Amino acid sequence: MKKLLIVFALACVTLSSFAQEADPTLKYSVATNSFWSNWYVQANANWSAFYSSQEHGKNLPISPVKGFRSAPQFSVAVGKWFTPGIGTRLKFYGVWGRSVNSEVKNEFKYWDLQQQVLFNLSNIWCGYNPSRVWNVSVFGGAGIDRSWDNKQYAMAYSAGLLNQWRLCDRVSLNLEAGLLYKEHDSDLDVKVPGPEDPLGWSYHESHDIQFYAELGLTFNIGRVGWDKTPDVDAIKALSQAQIDALNAQLADANAENARLKNLLANQKPAPAPEPQIVKEFVCPAVSVFFNINRWNIASKKDLVNVKNMAEFAKENNANLKVTGYADSATGTPKINQTLSEKRAKTVADELVKMGVSRDNIQTAAKGGVADLSPVSYNRRATVEVVK
């Protein structure tokens, strides 16, 4: 038994060490999703080896492939991931067991219901990556074991290692290895040895153990995946840069105004033509930012500067140009082109809501670009005054 435990522990450590490294360009922080997101169901077929307390002292072979120990089983589970690294599931195991007291098959029926907590080591160690193919998770839990034949209940505990290979967004292939530790004798009523008991069974305040390996599928239901948290610091930094640029232009305008006043004050009195005031709006392009694969505006605060441009355009019948962008690091060129068109249309619609005539708005779409760093800055639409 000790050898089996050692082999199982080494297998867990070895498989965990091969967890995929996430692509640094795809790792990102995520926001907590709603309760109804990231649910899943699992269906598995497994092969189990039973180690019963009745065999103590009988020196039976411990090989898990012995026919008197092993039998096919199945399991089903329903669960939810609360974060990319932590989840839970309710799992049912059953139903053809082996009560081992000699090298003779002693079949019985049972079920085991476990509430388990899962830790996705790939996401915890390497960061969340929605396109990762291989995820490795460890789990542990507790529940109850029921022998149908002998009408006995026992507390049971579980632990193991779950490997999942992503086939598509909705389906993954499972390869799981684990054990069930069952308190006392969960599989059979044992008796004190006596003349009427030729098998010589003895009562043990002990436990039964069930090792298993299983193969199956996970089906994701409802909303799948995690939203990226907005890069608030980056947005604030970019907005501050725009404010600084406007302040610098205002300072230059004030200096020019002072120069002209001084020039006029030093001129000789003479009839002068009526001064012509030219009103000009000087401003760099204003940016509105979006989350990955989205065309709804991430923060309504971005519309403050857009509203100032809209007021200028209404007062002066000026033309505005809205240009949409997507980042080339994610998505195909076709998807990025469509995404940039939708982002430009979203901002143009906001300008119309602010009172700007649709005839005074031009739109353009640049598709996927890598103009700015970090790449999240490229998920934007810009608004500028054009002649």
Side-chain angles (χ1 to χ4, degrees):
M1 183 62 68
K2 291 182 178 179
K3 292 181 179 179
L4 283 172
L5 290 173
I6 292 172
V7 170
F8 183 78
L10 289 175
C12 292
V13 173
T14 302
L15 287 172
S16 299
S17 66
F18 284 100
Q20 271 187 306
E21 284 293 332
D23 184 346
T25 64
L26 296 178
K27 294 194 306 182
Y28 53 79
S29 300
V30 299
T32 301
N33 283 350
S34 70
F35 176 79
W36 303 110
S37 300
N38 295 301
W39 284 84
Y40 63 90
V41 293
Q42 295 176 325
N44 308 285
N46 73 45
W47 189 261
S48 294
F50 293 82
Y51 295 83
S52 300
S53 61
Q54 292 94 321
E55 67 181 282
H56 291 181
K58 297 184 181 293
N59 297 318
L60 299 179
I62 64 173
S63 171
V65 298
K66 290 289 185 180
F68 74 94
R69 287 194 184 281
S70 56
Q73 313 290 324
F74 73 91
S75 68
V76 292
V78 58
K80 170 181 170 57
W81 289 101
F82 294 98
T83 72
I86 301 176
T88 186
R89 69 181 179 185
L90 182 64
K91 188 170 184 180
F92 174 90
Y93 299 83
V95 287
W96 305 283
R98 292 284 185 268
S99 178
V100 180
N101 56 78
S102 66
E103 290 195 39
V104 177
K105 291 185 178 180
N106 187 0
E107 299 180 356
F108 71 99
K109 291 184 178 180
Y110 79 101
W111 57 258
D112 194 293
L113 192 64
Q114 293 283 310
Q115 183 66 51
Q116 298 168 335
V117 178
L118 296 87
F119 300 92
N120 188 317
L121 301 182
S122 300
N123 286 336
I124 292 173
W125 291 345
C126 305
Y128 172 63
N129 181 348
S131 61
R132 182 182 289 116
V133 175
W134 180 23
N135 283 276
V136 179
S137 303
V138 295
F139 63 86
I144 192 165
D145 188 272
R146 162 73 170 175
S147 171
W148 282 344
D149 292 351
N150 301 293
K151 299 179 176 58
Q152 294 194 114
Y153 289 94
M155 282 296 297
Y157 309 94
S158 58
L161 182 76
L162 170 63
N163 292 272
Q164 293 181 296
W165 285 269
R166 176 178 174 272
L167 302 180
C168 65
D169 288 343
R170 293 287 178 182
V171 184
S172 297
L173 177 69
N174 308 330
L175 178 60
E176 181 175 319
L179 65 84
L180 297 170
Y181 179 99
K182 309 174 184 184
E183 291 186 347
H184 306 301
D185 288 295
S186 68
D187 56 356
L188 190 66
D189 284 317
V190 296
K191 301 181 290 184
V192 177
E196 74 286 355
D197 187 4
L199 292 178
W201 291 348
S202 60
Y203 180 80
H204 296 278
E205 285 291 335
S206 184
H207 57 269
D208 296 328
I209 295 178
Q210 175 185 344
F211 288 95
Y212 69 88
E214 64 183 20
L215 185 68
L217 295 173
T218 294
F219 301 93
N220 298 315
I221 55 180
R223 189 172 185 275
V224 179
W226 307 86
D227 291 333
K228 181 178 179 181
T229 54
D231 193 345
V232 177
D233 291 337
I235 294 173
K236 286 182 178 178
L238 191 57
S239 298
Q240 186 60 48
Q242 293 173 339
I243 293 172
D244 292 343
L246 289 172
N247 287 335
Q249 292 177 1
L250 180 59
D252 291 342
N254 289 335
E256 178 64 14
N257 188 43
R259 186 186 71 81
L260 292 174
K261 284 184 177 181
N262 184 60
L263 183 63
L264 289 172
N266 293 328
Q267 281 184 346
K268 293 180 180 180
E274 190 71 22
Q276 183 179 4
I277 300 175
V278 178
K279 190 173 183 181
E280 183 178 2
F281 187 82
V282 180
C283 178
V286 173
S287 295
V288 177
F289 294 92
F290 299 83
N291 288 325
I292 188 170
N293 201 30
R294 297 289 186 273
W295 55 88
N296 54 309
I297 297 171
S299 173
K300 295 298 183 182
K301 294 181 180 179
D302 288 354
L303 296 178
V304 174
N305 292 333
V306 174
K307 188 173 182 180
N308 292 334
M309 273 198 174
E311 293 299 326
F312 174 82
K314 290 190 293 183
E315 293 175 4
N316 298 276
N317 196 31
N319 293 322
L320 300 178
K321 182 178 181 180
V322 182
T323 306
Y325 301 86
D327 69 272
S328 59
T330 58
T332 63
K334 182 178 179 181
I335 290 174
N336 286 335
Q337 181 63 30
T338 301
L339 195 57
S340 63
E341 291 172 358
K342 291 182 177 180
R343 288 171 176 171
K345 183 180 182 302
T346 295
V347 176
D349 291 342
E350 290 294 333
L351 287 169
V352 172
K353 292 177 183 178
M354 295 174 184
V356 180
S357 171
R358 180 74 70 173
D359 294 336
N360 289 359
I361 302 173
Q362 305 173 23
T363 59
K366 297 295 187 180
V369 299
D371 300 337
L372 305 178
S373 179
V375 293
S376 60
Y377 287 2
N378 294 301
R379 296 191 284 272
R380 72 192 196 280
T382 60
V383 185
E384 58 184 330
V385 178
V386 295
K387 295 181 181 180

